[in-house]
Amino acid sequence: MAGSGRASAAHRRVEALAAHVSAGPKSTAQQQQRLYGDIEHDRSFQIRALQRQDYDKGYTKLLEQLTTTGSVSRDAFESFVEHVNRSPYHHVYVVEDTKRGAVVASGTIIIEHKVVHSAGKVGHIEDIVSDSSVRGRGLGRRIVNHLAEIARREHCYKVVLDCAEHNIPFYRKLGFQQKEVQMAKYF
């Protein structure tokens, strides 16, 4: 008798699961989860420091999805990577889709030393971008969280970033608060 009770309970769970699966996803996020799997645990997406080879893996093309890059030669790019690698205060990280051999997300953090806040440090996050083919899959969140963790390890008293108004909800979900107003003067 006990065995049949367990079998019927198991059968009900299987039927419930089948009904849930056949009902289909309830949201775009669930659809993407079903299509793409869990990016957090997908080993084909590796976060790492920018490398010279990323010129051929589409790094500058990726940045064009964020802003104007202009013409960047291989020599200029390699010089930039060398500069970043020599600086303990300038970090550029990318997410590489190792299956495609392409850079699909990126972000930068610059550590500023201050006199205020007891000679504290501030992390400035810049140039957050995910390739349009992978947007909504959590790679931007991974990059921002990685950069914020660098700021924490560097004992920054805060980390700041500028963003377009339509990106405010994204950054709020990551714990950022809207504060003050950004001003810029371009040359």
Side-chain angles (χ1 to χ4, degrees):
M1 219 35 153
S4 67
R6 273 186 256 144
S8 63
H11 182 72
R12 283 192 303 273
R13 284 192 301 271
V14 168
E15 284 181 354
L17 178 61
H20 175 72
V21 169
S22 67
K26 303 288 189 235
S27 71
T28 302
Q30 287 174 327
Q31 288 171 335
Q32 289 176 344
Q33 174 70 23
R34 182 174 279 177
L35 288 172
Y36 304 121
D38 185 359
I39 291 292
E40 289 295 317
H41 299 99
D42 187 341
R43 296 199 186 280
S44 65
F45 291 95
Q46 298 294 317
I47 190 166
R48 60 169 174 75
L50 182 69
Q51 300 172 352
R52 297 172 89 180
Q53 302 90 313
D54 292 332
Y55 186 84
D56 295 319
K57 293 182 179 184
Y59 180 75
T60 57
K61 297 270 187 235
L62 174 67
L63 288 180
E64 288 174 3
Q65 295 182 44
L66 176 67
T67 189
T68 304
T69 60
S71 178
V72 180
S73 69
R74 179 182 299 276
D75 288 342
F77 178 78
E78 290 179 356
S79 176
F80 170 77
V81 172
E82 288 175 29
H83 167 78
V84 169
N85 288 341
R86 283 193 309 267
S87 173
Y89 308 115
H90 190 173
H91 309 276
V92 179
Y93 280 85
V94 300
V95 175
E96 180 180 355
D97 178 345
T98 58
K99 289 180 183 173
R100 292 180 13 207
V103 172
V104 294
S106 181
T108 299
I109 187 164
I110 299 166
I111 308 296
E112 175 190 9
H113 290 256
K114 310 279 282 182
V115 172
V116 299
H117 290 274
S118 302
K121 294 184 266 186
V122 174
H124 295 266
I125 292 179
E126 296 281 340
D127 302 333
I128 300 299
V129 62
S130 295
D131 187 78
S132 60
S133 69
V134 295
R135 272 188 208 134
R137 294 178 56 189
L139 298 179
R141 177 176 40 84
R142 277 182 71 182
I143 283 283
V144 171
N145 287 340
H146 185 78
L147 298 174
E149 184 55 33
I150 290 170
R152 184 185 317 280
R153 283 195 317 253
E154 290 289 327
H155 305 288
C156 293
Y157 68 90
K158 69 179 178 179
V159 63
V160 297
L161 59 82
D162 296 320
C163 71
E165 277 193 51
H166 68 272
N167 288 328
I168 290 172
F170 169 76
Y171 290 108
R172 279 197 175 130
K173 287 180 192 174
L174 300 179
F176 288 82
Q177 303 170 11
Q178 191 171 355
K179 184 167 168 53
E180 301 173 1
V181 176
Q182 176 213 36
M183 302 294 289
K185 185 173 185 176
Y186 293 92
F187 300 101

